[in-house]
Amino acid sequence: MNAAKPRFGTSLKPFKRPRLWAGLWMLAIAVVVIGSLLPARDLPSVPVSDKFEHFAAYAVLSAGAVQLFVRRLSWGFVCILLVLMGIGLEYLQAQMGLGRQLDRADALANTIGALIGLASAFTPWRDALLRFDRRP
């Protein structure tokens, strides 16, 4: 009896390098968390609205989940967790006393970004990463 070796991340799409893509996605989440909790004075000055930064970051994280995971349930679950993470980070900013404050507009931008990223599931780009790195 030859039992098949369970593959890493059975909820992930059949990538050649699933650990690489999952690791990069988790690193992106860590970057967003760390960037959200840095003191205001340590943030780089960028020529775009901070609302756009929030929107783009959460859209990329949510679209990344669509690229990584097979099931729609996983996509929705990640989207909900990202929305909760965005709200939680806004509260932490207010509580940590690092020159940052709770901004409901930032939380809204995070939420809209997560929803737009989730909407990428309904486009031809849904499996772009899989087409690039499919397991033989």
Side-chain angles (χ1 to χ4, degrees):
M1 184 153 126
N2 235 350
K5 179 183 168 189
R7 73 179 178 90
F8 171 77
T10 56
S11 63
L12 296 176
K13 293 178 181 177
F15 296 113
K16 190 182 330 178
R17 296 173 292 235
R19 285 183 170 92
L20 170 67
W21 304 121
L24 287 174
W25 183 66
M26 288 185 278
L27 178 63
I29 291 171
V31 167
V32 169
V33 169
I34 291 166
S36 296
L37 298 177
L38 283 175
R41 67 182 179 281
D42 293 343
L43 295 174
S45 177
V46 290
V48 295
S49 162
D50 89 309
K51 304 306 178 254
F52 179 77
E53 291 175 23
H54 283 264
F55 167 81
Y58 283 78
V60 166
L61 293 177
S62 185
V66 170
Q67 292 297 312
L68 287 175
F69 299 107
V70 174
R71 297 176 39 207
R72 290 180 181 193
L73 182 62
S74 298
W75 303 338
F77 185 67
V78 168
C79 187
I80 290 168
L81 288 178
L82 287 172
V83 169
L84 293 174
M85 181 179 89
I87 292 168
L89 288 171
E90 287 300 318
Y91 278 102
L92 279 174
Q93 286 176 357
Q95 298 301 315
M96 291 178 68
L98 299 172
R100 311 272 307 259
Q101 59 187 357
L102 185 145
D103 186 346
R104 287 179 177 85
D106 286 349
L108 179 61
N110 298 342
T111 300
I112 294 169
L115 291 172
I116 293 296
L118 179 62
S120 72
F122 306 103
T123 71
W125 301 305
R126 176 178 68 204
D127 292 322
L129 185 57
L130 184 60
R131 285 190 291 274
F132 175 74
D133 189 53
R134 181 179 288 276
R135 188 170 18 106

